[in-house]
Amino acid sequence: MSTASRPYPIVQDLIDSFASWLKHRREINEMRQLDRADFDRIASDLRIAPDDLEELVRHGKHAADELPKMLEQLGINAEGLGRAQPLLLRDMERVCSLCGHKGQCDRDLADGTAAENYHGYCANASTLESLDRADLAPR
């Protein structure tokens, strides 16, 4: 539904935001109900440290939304990277999710200056620099 066709777009946006927040809180509560052995087993299955898994759940499913935008601004095809190196992409998503520089990243992505500035704050910078862009360029 577009903003123009919604009678109260601000109210609807608030309701949607609250619903997302509530769903996320339920997910966190479900995670806390697991006993430590089950939680550790899930983390092991995912090949991630239990503390990182806990932090990822806390950050929510949109915690790595910046990564595809960053890849695009760097001329890297996220889909191609996922096919060529799925574990690397997953690790980059983990690193992005746990990043403490979201504000700077979001501003640079919005301004279109991320490609020039990401070296100064992006925890994925060295990985991004090591990628062979010729193989991963959008086609």
Side-chain angles (χ1 to χ4, degrees), residues 101-139:
H101 300 282
K102 296 285 188 186
Q104 180 66 48
C105 186
D106 288 336
R107 282 189 297 278
D108 285 350
L109 289 168
D111 294 344
T113 60
E116 296 86 40
N117 298 326
Y118 77 99
H119 299 88
Y121 57 83
C122 182
N124 276 317
S126 61
T127 303
L128 290 166
E129 291 165 3
S130 72
L131 293 174
D132 186 354
R133 286 180 172 68
D135 291 340
L136 301 169
R139 297 176 199 260

Side-chain angles (χ1 to χ4, degrees), residues 32-43 49-51 54:
R32 288 186 178 142
Q33 291 176 3
L34 292 172
D35 67 23
R36 193 64 200 185
D38 287 339
F39 187 79
D40 290 350
R41 194 172 312 112
I42 291 169
D51 290 343
E54 196 168 332

Side-chain angles (χ1 to χ4, degrees), residues 5-20:
S5 65
R6 295 186 302 178
Y8 302 101
I10 293 172
V11 174
Q12 187 61 49
D13 289 344
L14 287 172
I15 291 169
D16 292 345
S17 293
F18 180 70
S20 294

